[in-house]
mmCIF file of all heavy atoms in Angstrom:
data_model
loop_
_atom_site.group_PDB
_atom_site.id
_atom_site.type_symbol
_atom_site.label_atom_id
_atom_site.label_comp_id
_atom_site.label_asym_id
_atom_site.label_seq_id
_atom_site.Cartn_x
_atom_site.Cartn_y
_atom_site.Cartn_z
ATOM 1 N N ILE A 1 -2.480 71.832 -91.107
ATOM 2 C CA ILE A 1 -1.177 71.689 -90.479
ATOM 3 C C ILE A 1 -1.351 71.327 -89.006
ATOM 4 O O ILE A 1 -2.117 71.968 -88.287
ATOM 5 C CB ILE A 1 -0.369 72.996 -90.587
ATOM 6 C CG1 ILE A 1 -0.137 73.376 -92.057
ATOM 7 C CG2 ILE A 1 0.955 72.877 -89.842
ATOM 8 C CD1 ILE A 1 0.891 72.556 -92.778
ATOM 9 N N PHE A 2 -0.614 70.298 -88.546
ATOM 10 C CA PHE A 2 -0.617 69.927 -87.133
ATOM 11 C C PHE A 2 0.724 70.336 -86.511
ATOM 12 O O PHE A 2 1.783 69.986 -87.028
ATOM 13 C CB PHE A 2 -0.813 68.422 -86.954
ATOM 14 C CG PHE A 2 -2.185 67.940 -87.323
ATOM 15 C CD1 PHE A 2 -2.429 67.418 -88.585
ATOM 16 C CD2 PHE A 2 -3.230 68.022 -86.426
ATOM 17 C CE1 PHE A 2 -3.691 66.973 -88.942
ATOM 18 C CE2 PHE A 2 -4.502 67.585 -86.773
ATOM 19 C CZ PHE A 2 -4.738 67.062 -88.029
ATOM 20 N N PRO A 3 0.696 71.082 -85.409
ATOM 21 C CA PRO A 3 1.957 71.464 -84.763
ATOM 22 C C PRO A 3 2.621 70.274 -84.083
ATOM 23 O O PRO A 3 1.971 69.296 -83.713
ATOM 24 C CB PRO A 3 1.525 72.517 -83.739
ATOM 25 C CG PRO A 3 0.098 72.165 -83.420
ATOM 26 C CD PRO A 3 -0.480 71.631 -84.705
ATOM 27 N N ALA A 4 3.941 70.379 -83.936
ATOM 28 C CA ALA A 4 4.694 69.358 -83.206
ATOM 29 C C ALA A 4 4.402 69.474 -81.715
ATOM 30 O O ALA A 4 3.704 70.389 -81.266
ATOM 31 C CB ALA A 4 6.187 69.537 -83.476
ATOM 32 N N SER A 5 4.956 68.562 -80.953
ATOM 33 C CA SER A 5 4.703 68.543 -79.503
ATOM 34 C C SER A 5 5.125 69.835 -78.835
ATOM 35 O O SER A 5 4.554 70.229 -77.811
ATOM 36 C CB SER A 5 5.447 67.360 -78.869
ATOM 37 O OG SER A 5 5.012 66.140 -79.440
ATOM 38 N N ASN A 6 6.111 70.525 -79.402
ATOM 39 C CA ASN A 6 6.575 71.790 -78.829
ATOM 40 C C ASN A 6 5.843 73.001 -79.396
ATOM 41 O O ASN A 6 6.222 74.141 -79.112
ATOM 42 C CB ASN A 6 8.077 71.939 -79.036
ATOM 43 C CG ASN A 6 8.467 72.046 -80.510
ATOM 44 O OD1 ASN A 6 7.605 72.008 -81.393
ATOM 45 N ND2 ASN A 6 9.750 72.184 -80.767
ATOM 46 N N GLY A 7 4.817 72.778 -80.220
ATOM 47 C CA GLY A 7 4.029 73.868 -80.782
ATOM 48 C C GLY A 7 4.502 74.366 -82.129
ATOM 49 O O GLY A 7 3.841 75.205 -82.745
ATOM 50 N N ALA A 8 5.643 73.884 -82.618
ATOM 51 C CA ALA A 8 6.179 74.353 -83.896
ATOM 52 C C ALA A 8 5.410 73.779 -85.078
ATOM 53 O O ALA A 8 5.092 72.582 -85.096
ATOM 54 C CB ALA A 8 7.651 73.991 -84.016
ATOM 55 N N THR A 9 5.102 74.610 -86.062
ATOM 56 C CA THR A 9 4.457 74.122 -87.282
ATOM 57 C C THR A 9 5.486 73.584 -88.273
ATOM 58 O O THR A 9 5.134 72.853 -89.205
ATOM 59 C CB THR A 9 3.643 75.232 -87.958
ATOM 60 O OG1 THR A 9 4.483 76.364 -88.162
ATOM 61 C CG2 THR A 9 2.453 75.624 -87.103
ATOM 62 N N GLU A 10 6.735 73.973 -88.097
ATOM 63 C CA GLU A 10 7.831 73.481 -88.927
ATOM 64 C C GLU A 10 9.000 73.094 -88.028
ATOM 65 O O GLU A 10 9.347 73.840 -87.104
ATOM 66 C CB GLU A 10 8.292 74.560 -89.926
ATOM 67 C CG GLU A 10 7.251 74.935 -90.961
ATOM 68 C CD GLU A 10 7.742 76.022 -91.910
ATOM 69 O OE1 GLU A 10 8.781 76.658 -91.593
ATOM 70 O OE2 GLU A 10 7.101 76.235 -92.951
ATOM 71 N N LEU A 11 9.571 71.945 -88.314
ATOM 72 C CA LEU A 11 10.754 71.495 -87.583
ATOM 73 C C LEU A 11 11.945 71.531 -88.531
ATOM 74 O O LEU A 11 11.875 71.011 -89.644
ATOM 75 C CB LEU A 11 10.574 70.065 -87.063
ATOM 76 C CG LEU A 11 9.412 69.810 -86.112
ATOM 77 C CD1 LEU A 11 9.285 68.317 -85.824
ATOM 78 C CD2 LEU A 11 9.595 70.592 -84.819
ATOM 79 N N GLU A 12 13.023 72.136 -88.118
ATOM 80 C CA GLU A 12 14.255 72.167 -88.911
ATOM 81 C C GLU A 12 15.163 71.061 -88.387
ATOM 82 O O GLU A 12 15.804 71.200 -87.348
ATOM 83 C CB GLU A 12 14.915 73.537 -88.781
ATOM 84 C CG GLU A 12 15.916 73.845 -89.874
ATOM 85 C CD GLU A 12 16.350 75.293 -89.830
ATOM 86 O OE1 GLU A 12 17.081 75.661 -88.884
ATOM 87 O OE2 GLU A 12 15.942 76.065 -90.720
ATOM 88 N N VAL A 13 15.202 69.942 -89.108
ATOM 89 C CA VAL A 13 15.854 68.730 -88.623
ATOM 90 C C VAL A 13 17.133 68.454 -89.402
ATOM 91 O O VAL A 13 17.147 68.487 -90.634
ATOM 92 C CB VAL A 13 14.898 67.518 -88.733
ATOM 93 C CG1 VAL A 13 15.591 66.240 -88.253
ATOM 94 C CG2 VAL A 13 13.629 67.771 -87.926
ATOM 95 N N GLY A 14 18.217 68.173 -88.684
ATOM 96 C CA GLY A 14 19.471 67.785 -89.311
ATOM 97 C C GLY A 14 19.539 66.279 -89.483
ATOM 98 O O GLY A 14 19.152 65.524 -88.590
ATOM 99 N N PHE A 15 20.045 65.824 -90.652
ATOM 100 C CA PHE A 15 20.142 64.402 -90.949
ATOM 101 C C PHE A 15 21.605 63.990 -91.104
ATOM 102 O O PHE A 15 22.497 64.817 -91.297
ATOM 103 C CB PHE A 15 19.351 64.080 -92.223
ATOM 104 C CG PHE A 15 17.863 64.201 -92.046
ATOM 105 C CD1 PHE A 15 17.233 65.432 -92.187
ATOM 106 C CD2 PHE A 15 17.101 63.103 -91.714
ATOM 107 C CE1 PHE A 15 15.869 65.560 -92.015
ATOM 108 C CE2 PHE A 15 15.733 63.212 -91.527
ATOM 109 C CZ PHE A 15 15.110 64.444 -91.678
ATOM 110 N N ASP A 16 21.850 62.692 -91.035
ATOM 111 C CA ASP A 16 23.217 62.181 -91.035
ATOM 112 C C ASP A 16 23.942 62.374 -92.362
ATOM 113 O O ASP A 16 25.159 62.202 -92.435
ATOM 114 C CB ASP A 16 23.224 60.687 -90.664
ATOM 115 C CG ASP A 16 22.965 60.468 -89.183
ATOM 116 O OD1 ASP A 16 23.020 61.455 -88.434
ATOM 117 O OD2 ASP A 16 22.711 59.319 -88.790
ATOM 118 N N ASP A 17 23.215 62.699 -93.440
ATOM 119 C CA ASP A 17 23.887 62.975 -94.718
ATOM 120 C C ASP A 17 24.386 64.415 -94.781
ATOM 121 O O ASP A 17 24.913 64.850 -95.802
ATOM 122 C CB ASP A 17 22.958 62.679 -95.895
ATOM 123 C CG ASP A 17 21.734 63.588 -95.928
ATOM 124 O OD1 ASP A 17 21.488 64.300 -94.926
ATOM 125 O OD2 ASP A 17 21.015 63.581 -96.943
ATOM 126 N N GLY A 18 24.217 65.154 -93.682
ATOM 127 C CA GLY A 18 24.661 66.539 -93.629
ATOM 128 C C GLY A 18 23.600 67.549 -94.011
ATOM 129 O O GLY A 18 23.812 68.760 -93.881
ATOM 130 N N SER A 19 22.461 67.074 -94.471
ATOM 131 C CA SER A 19 21.402 67.997 -94.886
ATOM 132 C C SER A 19 20.566 68.442 -93.686
ATOM 133 O O SER A 19 20.510 67.773 -92.659
ATOM 134 C CB SER A 19 20.482 67.328 -95.913
ATOM 135 O OG SER A 19 19.748 66.266 -95.329
ATOM 136 N N THR A 20 19.942 69.589 -93.847
ATOM 137 C CA THR A 20 18.952 70.086 -92.895
ATOM 138 C C THR A 20 17.656 70.276 -93.658
ATOM 139 O O THR A 20 17.639 70.926 -94.714
ATOM 140 C CB THR A 20 19.395 71.418 -92.271
ATOM 141 O OG1 THR A 20 20.631 71.225 -91.572
ATOM 142 C CG2 THR A 20 18.352 71.926 -91.290
ATOM 143 N N ARG A 21 16.577 69.691 -93.152
ATOM 144 C CA ARG A 21 15.326 69.698 -93.891
ATOM 145 C C ARG A 21 14.169 70.113 -92.981
ATOM 146 O O ARG A 21 14.182 69.842 -91.784
ATOM 147 C CB ARG A 21 15.034 68.315 -94.481
ATOM 148 C CG ARG A 21 16.239 67.665 -95.146
ATOM 149 C CD ARG A 21 15.865 66.417 -95.908
ATOM 150 N NE ARG A 21 17.038 65.618 -96.259
ATOM 151 C CZ ARG A 21 17.047 64.631 -97.137
ATOM 152 N NH1 ARG A 21 15.930 64.305 -97.757
ATOM 153 N NH2 ARG A 21 18.155 63.953 -97.391
ATOM 154 N N ILE A 22 13.182 70.755 -93.597
ATOM 155 C CA ILE A 22 11.982 71.154 -92.864
ATOM 156 C C ILE A 22 10.999 69.982 -92.842
ATOM 157 O O ILE A 22 10.694 69.384 -93.876
ATOM 158 C CB ILE A 22 11.311 72.376 -93.515
ATOM 159 C CG1 ILE A 22 12.249 73.591 -93.459
ATOM 160 C CG2 ILE A 22 9.984 72.699 -92.822
ATOM 161 C CD1 ILE A 22 12.577 74.054 -92.055
ATOM 162 N N VAL A 23 10.521 69.653 -91.637
ATOM 163 C CA VAL A 23 9.582 68.561 -91.435
ATOM 164 C C VAL A 23 8.246 69.146 -90.981
ATOM 165 O O VAL A 23 8.209 69.994 -90.084
ATOM 166 C CB VAL A 23 10.104 67.559 -90.385
ATOM 167 C CG1 VAL A 23 9.063 66.466 -90.113
ATOM 168 C CG2 VAL A 23 11.425 66.955 -90.855
ATOM 169 N N ARG A 24 7.163 68.684 -91.590
ATOM 170 C CA ARG A 24 5.811 69.146 -91.222
ATOM 171 C C ARG A 24 4.855 67.961 -91.171
ATOM 172 O O ARG A 24 5.061 66.963 -91.857
ATOM 173 C CB ARG A 24 5.296 70.155 -92.256
ATOM 174 C CG ARG A 24 6.031 71.474 -92.291
ATOM 175 C CD ARG A 24 5.784 72.220 -93.583
ATOM 176 N NE ARG A 24 6.387 71.539 -94.718
ATOM 177 C CZ ARG A 24 6.238 71.914 -95.984
ATOM 178 N NH1 ARG A 24 5.471 72.942 -96.278
ATOM 179 N NH2 ARG A 24 6.831 71.251 -96.957
ATOM 180 N N LEU A 25 3.808 68.106 -90.384
ATOM 181 C CA LEU A 25 2.761 67.089 -90.299
ATOM 182 C C LEU A 25 1.455 67.692 -90.789
ATOM 183 O O LEU A 25 1.004 68.722 -90.284
ATOM 184 C CB LEU A 25 2.598 66.595 -88.866
ATOM 185 C CG LEU A 25 1.630 65.415 -88.697
ATOM 186 C CD1 LEU A 25 2.221 64.143 -89.304
ATOM 187 C CD2 LEU A 25 1.305 65.172 -87.213
ATOM 188 N N LEU A 26 0.838 67.030 -91.784
ATOM 189 C CA LEU A 26 -0.404 67.494 -92.388
ATOM 190 C C LEU A 26 -1.484 66.426 -92.245
ATOM 191 O O LEU A 26 -1.190 65.246 -92.051
ATOM 192 C CB LEU A 26 -0.203 67.788 -93.879
ATOM 193 C CG LEU A 26 0.478 69.067 -94.316
ATOM 194 C CD1 LEU A 26 1.930 69.132 -93.849
ATOM 195 C CD2 LEU A 26 0.432 69.197 -95.839
ATOM 196 N N SER A 27 -2.712 66.847 -92.371
ATOM 197 C CA SER A 27 -3.805 65.889 -92.419
ATOM 198 C C SER A 27 -3.743 65.130 -93.744
ATOM 199 O O SER A 27 -3.331 65.676 -94.771
ATOM 200 C CB SER A 27 -5.156 66.599 -92.289
ATOM 201 O OG SER A 27 -5.313 67.572 -93.308
ATOM 202 N N PHE A 28 -4.140 63.875 -93.729
ATOM 203 C CA PHE A 28 -4.242 63.075 -94.952
ATOM 204 C C PHE A 28 -5.682 63.174 -95.458
ATOM 205 O O PHE A 28 -6.636 62.918 -94.713
ATOM 206 C CB PHE A 28 -3.891 61.617 -94.680
ATOM 207 C CG PHE A 28 -4.059 60.727 -95.883
ATOM 208 C CD1 PHE A 28 -3.090 60.698 -96.870
ATOM 209 C CD2 PHE A 28 -5.194 59.942 -96.033
ATOM 210 C CE1 PHE A 28 -3.239 59.893 -97.992
ATOM 211 C CE2 PHE A 28 -5.354 59.133 -97.148
ATOM 212 C CZ PHE A 28 -4.375 59.106 -98.134
ATOM 213 N N LEU A 29 -5.843 63.570 -96.711
ATOM 214 C CA LEU A 29 -7.178 63.722 -97.292
ATOM 215 C C LEU A 29 -7.539 62.452 -98.055
ATOM 216 O O LEU A 29 -7.021 62.191 -99.138
ATOM 217 C CB LEU A 29 -7.211 64.939 -98.213
ATOM 218 C CG LEU A 29 -6.859 66.272 -97.529
ATOM 219 C CD1 LEU A 29 -6.939 67.433 -98.514
ATOM 220 C CD2 LEU A 29 -7.766 66.525 -96.335
ATOM 221 N N ALA A 30 -8.406 61.668 -97.449
ATOM 222 C CA ALA A 30 -8.775 60.380 -98.027
ATOM 223 C C ALA A 30 -9.729 60.561 -99.201
ATOM 224 O O ALA A 30 -10.501 61.520 -99.270
ATOM 225 C CB ALA A 30 -9.430 59.510 -96.956
ATOM 226 N N GLY A 31 -9.677 59.625 -100.129
ATOM 227 C CA GLY A 31 -10.566 59.654 -101.279
ATOM 228 C C GLY A 31 -9.933 58.943 -102.455
ATOM 229 O O GLY A 31 -8.970 58.186 -102.308
ATOM 230 N N THR A 32 -10.476 59.195 -103.627
ATOM 231 C CA THR A 32 -10.013 58.555 -104.851
ATOM 232 C C THR A 32 -9.309 59.589 -105.716
ATOM 233 O O THR A 32 -9.856 60.669 -105.951
ATOM 234 C CB THR A 32 -11.209 57.972 -105.625
ATOM 235 O OG1 THR A 32 -11.952 57.101 -104.774
ATOM 236 C CG2 THR A 32 -10.734 57.203 -106.846
ATOM 237 N N PRO A 33 -8.110 59.307 -106.211
ATOM 238 C CA PRO A 33 -7.424 60.272 -107.081
ATOM 239 C C PRO A 33 -8.279 60.633 -108.295
ATOM 240 O O PRO A 33 -8.877 59.756 -108.928
ATOM 241 C CB PRO A 33 -6.149 59.535 -107.490
ATOM 242 C CG PRO A 33 -5.911 58.539 -106.394
ATOM 243 C CD PRO A 33 -7.276 58.109 -105.952
ATOM 244 N N PHE A 34 -8.327 61.911 -108.606
ATOM 245 C CA PHE A 34 -9.168 62.404 -109.698
ATOM 246 C C PHE A 34 -8.854 61.694 -111.010
ATOM 247 O O PHE A 34 -9.766 61.397 -111.793
ATOM 248 C CB PHE A 34 -8.964 63.916 -109.848
ATOM 249 C CG PHE A 34 -9.942 64.605 -110.763
ATOM 250 C CD1 PHE A 34 -11.004 65.328 -110.246
ATOM 251 C CD2 PHE A 34 -9.811 64.543 -112.151
ATOM 252 C CE1 PHE A 34 -11.907 65.976 -111.081
ATOM 253 C CE2 PHE A 34 -10.704 65.179 -112.995
ATOM 254 C CZ PHE A 34 -11.756 65.902 -112.461
ATOM 255 N N HIS A 35 -7.579 61.410 -111.252
ATOM 256 C CA HIS A 35 -7.203 60.835 -112.542
ATOM 257 C C HIS A 35 -7.663 59.388 -112.714
ATOM 258 O O HIS A 35 -7.569 58.844 -113.810
ATOM 259 C CB HIS A 35 -5.686 60.928 -112.765
ATOM 260 C CG HIS A 35 -4.876 60.034 -111.875
ATOM 261 N ND1 HIS A 35 -4.569 60.370 -110.570
ATOM 262 C CD2 HIS A 35 -4.297 58.827 -112.088
ATOM 263 C CE1 HIS A 35 -3.836 59.406 -110.040
ATOM 264 N NE2 HIS A 35 -3.666 58.462 -110.931
ATOM 265 N N THR A 36 -8.191 58.774 -111.641
ATOM 266 C CA THR A 36 -8.648 57.388 -111.738
ATOM 267 C C THR A 36 -10.165 57.260 -111.817
ATOM 268 O O THR A 36 -10.672 56.153 -111.963
ATOM 269 C CB THR A 36 -8.154 56.568 -110.532
ATOM 270 O OG1 THR A 36 -8.785 57.044 -109.330
ATOM 271 C CG2 THR A 36 -6.639 56.662 -110.386
ATOM 272 N N VAL A 37 -10.888 58.363 -111.719
ATOM 273 C CA VAL A 37 -12.346 58.301 -111.726
ATOM 274 C C VAL A 37 -12.884 58.742 -113.086
ATOM 275 O O VAL A 37 -12.208 59.437 -113.849
ATOM 276 C CB VAL A 37 -12.964 59.179 -110.618
ATOM 277 C CG1 VAL A 37 -12.402 58.806 -109.260
ATOM 278 C CG2 VAL A 37 -12.740 60.653 -110.895
ATOM 279 N N GLU A 38 -14.111 58.328 -113.363
ATOM 280 C CA GLU A 38 -14.788 58.796 -114.565
ATOM 281 C C GLU A 38 -15.359 60.174 -114.277
ATOM 282 O O GLU A 38 -16.211 60.342 -113.412
ATOM 283 C CB GLU A 38 -15.899 57.823 -114.979
ATOM 284 C CG GLU A 38 -16.591 58.207 -116.276
ATOM 285 C CD GLU A 38 -17.606 57.177 -116.728
ATOM 286 O OE1 GLU A 38 -17.632 56.071 -116.141
ATOM 287 O OE2 GLU A 38 -18.365 57.470 -117.671
ATOM 288 N N SER A 39 -14.875 61.162 -115.007
ATOM 289 C CA SER A 39 -15.292 62.535 -114.740
ATOM 290 C C SER A 39 -16.742 62.760 -115.170
ATOM 291 O O SER A 39 -17.282 62.045 -116.017
ATOM 292 C CB SER A 39 -14.372 63.511 -115.468
ATOM 293 O OG SER A 39 -14.687 64.835 -115.135
ATOM 294 N N SER A 40 -17.358 63.761 -114.583
ATOM 295 C CA SER A 40 -18.727 64.146 -114.925
ATOM 296 C C SER A 40 -18.819 65.664 -114.881
ATOM 297 O O SER A 40 -17.957 66.343 -114.293
ATOM 298 C CB SER A 40 -19.726 63.552 -113.935
ATOM 299 O OG SER A 40 -19.541 64.104 -112.635
ATOM 300 N N ALA A 41 -19.860 66.208 -115.488
ATOM 301 C CA ALA A 41 -20.042 67.661 -115.467
ATOM 302 C C ALA A 41 -20.177 68.164 -114.034
ATOM 303 O O ALA A 41 -19.629 69.221 -113.685
ATOM 304 C CB ALA A 41 -21.274 68.044 -116.291
ATOM 305 N N ALA A 42 -20.877 67.409 -113.199
ATOM 306 C CA ALA A 42 -21.056 67.836 -111.801
ATOM 307 C C ALA A 42 -19.725 67.862 -111.059
ATOM 308 O O ALA A 42 -19.458 68.781 -110.277
ATOM 309 C CB ALA A 42 -22.036 66.900 -111.099
ATOM 310 N N LEU A 43 -18.888 66.862 -111.299
ATOM 311 C CA LEU A 43 -17.584 66.831 -110.640
ATOM 312 C C LEU A 43 -16.714 67.979 -111.131
ATOM 313 O O LEU A 43 -16.038 68.642 -110.330
ATOM 314 C CB LEU A 43 -16.892 65.498 -110.915
ATOM 315 C CG LEU A 43 -15.493 65.326 -110.307
ATOM 316 C CD1 LEU A 43 -15.540 65.442 -108.788
ATOM 317 C CD2 LEU A 43 -14.885 63.993 -110.723
ATOM 318 N N ARG A 44 -16.745 68.245 -112.421
ATOM 319 C CA ARG A 44 -15.944 69.345 -112.956
ATOM 320 C C ARG A 44 -16.432 70.688 -112.432
ATOM 321 O O ARG A 44 -15.626 71.587 -112.154
ATOM 322 C CB ARG A 44 -15.957 69.313 -114.484
ATOM 323 C CG ARG A 44 -15.229 68.111 -115.071
ATOM 324 C CD ARG A 44 -15.105 68.224 -116.573
ATOM 325 N NE ARG A 44 -16.388 68.097 -117.254
ATOM 326 C CZ ARG A 44 -16.919 66.964 -117.678
ATOM 327 N NH1 ARG A 44 -16.278 65.812 -117.461
ATOM 328 N NH2 ARG A 44 -18.069 66.929 -118.323
ATOM 329 N N ARG A 45 -17.720 70.827 -112.257
ATOM 330 C CA ARG A 45 -18.240 72.075 -111.683
ATOM 331 C C ARG A 45 -17.790 72.234 -110.239
ATOM 332 O O ARG A 45 -17.439 73.338 -109.804
ATOM 333 C CB ARG A 45 -19.770 72.110 -111.790
ATOM 334 C CG ARG A 45 -20.281 72.388 -113.198
ATOM 335 C CD ARG A 45 -21.763 72.730 -113.188
ATOM 336 N NE ARG A 45 -22.594 71.597 -112.813
ATOM 337 C CZ ARG A 45 -23.122 70.737 -113.684
ATOM 338 N NH1 ARG A 45 -22.887 70.878 -114.982
ATOM 339 N NH2 ARG A 45 -23.873 69.740 -113.268
ATOM 340 N N ASP A 46 -17.794 71.150 -109.492
ATOM 341 C CA ASP A 46 -17.334 71.244 -108.107
ATOM 342 C C ASP A 46 -15.846 71.591 -108.054
ATOM 343 O O ASP A 46 -15.405 72.362 -107.199
ATOM 344 C CB ASP A 46 -17.594 69.935 -107.359
ATOM 345 C CG ASP A 46 -17.510 70.103 -105.843
ATOM 346 O OD1 ASP A 46 -18.106 71.066 -105.316
ATOM 347 O OD2 ASP A 46 -16.827 69.297 -105.189
#
């Protein structure tokens, strides 16, 4: 989790449709989706 500029880990933001939603910033974990790779015993153990 990355905090916002004001230190908040969650921002409660109002939108023009009348909704209020929690906004957060997370790290993106790069790699290949598991469902697209050929599985192996070593990968399953990990």
Side-chain angles (χ1 to χ4, degrees):
I1 299 285
F2 291 96
S5 301
N6 65 0
T9 54
E10 295 179 346
L11 300 174
E12 199 170 71
V13 179
F15 291 85
D16 286 348
D17 64 348
S19 67
T20 299
R21 315 189 194 194
I22 297 297
V23 176
R24 293 162 292 174
L25 186 70
L26 282 64
S27 57
F28 176 79
L29 301 181
T32 305
F34 191 102
H35 70 279
T36 67
V37 305
E38 184 175 350
S39 185
S40 66
L43 179 60
R44 292 188 291 270
R45 285 193 292 268
D46 196 47

